[in-house]
Amino acid sequence: MTKTLLRLGAPAAVLLVLMAAAGCGSGTAPSPSASASKTAAPVRAPAPPPAPKNAACYRLTMKQEVAPTSSAAATPCSRTHTSETYFVGQLDTQVDGHLVAVDSDRVGAQVASTCRDRLDSFLGGSADDARLSMVHPVWFTPSVGQSDKGANWFRCDAVVTAGGNLTSRTQSLKGAMKSSKSRDGLSMCGTDAPDAKDFHRVPCAAHHSWRAIAVVPLKKGAYPGVKAAKSAGQTTCQNAAAHAAADPLSYQWGYEYPTKKDWDMDQQYGICWTKGS
C-alpha cells in the first residue's frame, strides 16, 4: 500500500445630478409689474452599463477565463461554447457605510463564495458532486471604469476543463449531475498519480488511471496551516480508497490538500484519490 500527498492546485455608482441655476432672460430690465424666470431641467446622469444576461454562453479562451473582467460577446448556447452563465447577482460594496472598490479582496471573496454555492443547484447535484467533477465556477465583475459609471453586477459561469484546457460544448450543463451517465462523464480523474510530473486532470470519460473519490471538508475560518491541512484527510482518504478497492489489502491512495491561496479563494476542502476504478 502506498500513499500520495499533493498540494491543491485556480465604487458603487454615484448619481450626479446637475441643477442649472435659474436664469433670467433679456438685456432689458423687467417692468415693475412683470417678471420672468426660467429653471433648467435637471441633467440626468447616463444609465450604467447593462448587466450581462443569465443563461448566456461564450467562447472564452483559458486566458479570458482567468481574467477578472470580460468583454467577450455572447454566442447562442446551441453553438459551440466553452462558458455558460448560470447566475448574475449584485455586488455588496458597502462596508460599515463606506464603499469598497470593485477589485478589492472583500468583493472578490463575496463573488467567489456565491458562485461556488450557486453551482451546486445549477448542476442539480450535491456540493461534493461538483467538487469531484471537471466543472468549475469562474466569475467576472465590471471593470473599474464600468463600476465608476454605475455597474454593480457580478457574473458566474460554468466551464469544463480537461488537461488544463477548456472544453467546448453545444449542450447546457444545467442539471448535468442528475444523470449518472453525464455525471460520470464529467467526474474528475487523473492521467497519473496526483504527484506525478505528467499528471493531468481529465473527465473520467477520457483515458485515466486515477480517480477522485471523496471530499474532505475542513473547518471554516482562518487557514489551519499546511501541517494541519495535510494531516486532516489522511485517515479519511485511506478509508475511502480501501472501500472503493476490489482488494482492501492492496490499493493506492492520495490526499490533495488546499494551500493558503486555495483557501483564500473559498476552496476549503481536500480531495481523496485512488488508483484505478
Side-chain angles (χ1 to χ4, degrees), residues 30 40 42 62 65 80 83 89 107 169 196 222 248 263 269 277:
M62 182 61 80
E65 175 259 338
T80 302
S83 182
V107 170
R169 303 178 60 83
W263 192 272
Y269 58 89
S277 69

Side-chain angles (χ1 to χ4, degrees), residues 60 65 82-84 134-138 157-161 166 173:
L60 300 183
E65 175 259 338
T82 59
S83 182
E84 180 179 359
M134 296 301 294
V135 184
H136 307 289
V138 297
D157 283 16
V159 299
V160 180
T161 61
L166 297 182
L173 288 166

Side-chain angles (χ1 to χ4, degrees), residues 220-236:
K220 297 290 185 179
Y223 184 61
V226 172
K227 183 178 180 180
K230 185 185 293 186
S231 63
Q234 295 198 37
T235 300
T236 298

Side-chain angles (χ1 to χ4, degrees), residues 15 64 106 241 244 253:
L15 181 62
Q64 291 173 315
R106 183 190 184 282
W253 62 276

Side-chain angles (χ1 to χ4, degrees), residues 33-59:
S33 60
S35 63
S37 65
K38 183 179 181 180
T39 302
V43 178
R44 295 184 181 275
K53 294 182 179 180
N54 196 12
C57 293
Y58 302 84
R59 290 182 56 83

Side-chain angles (χ1 to χ4, degrees), residues 9 26 38 40 59 65 84-85 119 127 138 157 162 165 170 176 189 231 252 254 259 268:
S26 66
K38 183 179 181 180
R59 290 182 56 83
E65 175 259 338
E84 180 179 359
T85 301
L119 182 63
V138 297
D157 283 16
N165 297 308
T170 56
C189 283
S231 63
Q252 289 181 272
T259 64
Q268 300 173 3

